[in-house]
Amino acid sequence: QVQLVESGGGLVQPGGSLRLSCAYSGRIFSMNAIDWHRQAPGKQREMVATITSGGTTRYSNSVKGRSTISRDNAKNMVYLQMNSLKPEDTAVYYCNFRAVEGDYWGQGTQVTVSS
């Protein structure tokens, strides 16, 4: 019912910044929240940021203080601004649309933090 497309990933040096975008579309009846998750090689997927339908944001300890999740409702876009990037931030980043009926996932965008 919901499609999501992530973009904005790429190669960035440690300490640099990147803004990820998630465009969502489709038949949307109820959205609880949109999350950003990431999955690094050999690791489990982890939630890094969440914004609820009410605008409440939450961050994982790994990115807290360095990242900001925001949304543009008019454009059906959710963003993740990441600053002070570290090599351990290297992962595929996914947006997750949490609806009342279940979760919808995008295909991900690769973020590589390396000098």
Side-chain angles (χ1 to χ4, degrees), residues 3-80:
Q3 292 180 309
L4 305 101
V5 179
E6 302 94 337
S7 62
L11 176 64
V12 63
Q13 292 184 322
S17 299
L18 211 57
R19 189 180 77 159
L20 308 182
S21 300
C22 175
Y24 59 91
S25 62
R27 190 181 299 274
I28 303 172
F29 294 99
S30 181
M31 186 270 285
N32 293 327
I34 299 180
D35 308 330
W36 280 100
H37 295 242
R38 68 185 182 187
Q39 186 167 22
K43 296 184 178 181
Q44 297 294 119
R45 188 173 297 187
E46 66 168 335
M47 189 280 293
V48 297
T50 299
I51 184 165
T52 69
S53 59
T56 302
T57 59
R58 191 177 86 252
Y59 303 91
S60 68
N61 290 332
S62 60
V63 304
K64 189 179 300 181
R66 302 186 295 119
S67 300
T68 302
I69 186 170
S70 61
R71 67 186 183 191
D72 187 335
N73 292 334
K75 296 181 178 180
N76 289 345
M77 297 285 289
V78 177
Y79 306 97
L80 181 65

Side-chain angles (χ1 to χ4, degrees), residues 71-109:
R71 67 186 183 191
D72 187 335
N73 292 334
K75 296 181 178 180
N76 289 345
M77 297 285 289
V78 177
Y79 306 97
L80 181 65
Q81 176 69 43
M82 303 185 69
N83 304 317
S84 301
L85 286 163
K86 306 174 181 180
E88 50 263 44
D89 293 320
T90 296
V92 178
Y93 285 72
Y94 303 87
C95 57
N96 171 35
F97 189 102
R98 288 197 279 128
V100 65
E101 70 269 22
D103 293 354
Y104 300 89
W105 295 87
Q107 294 301 306
T109 183

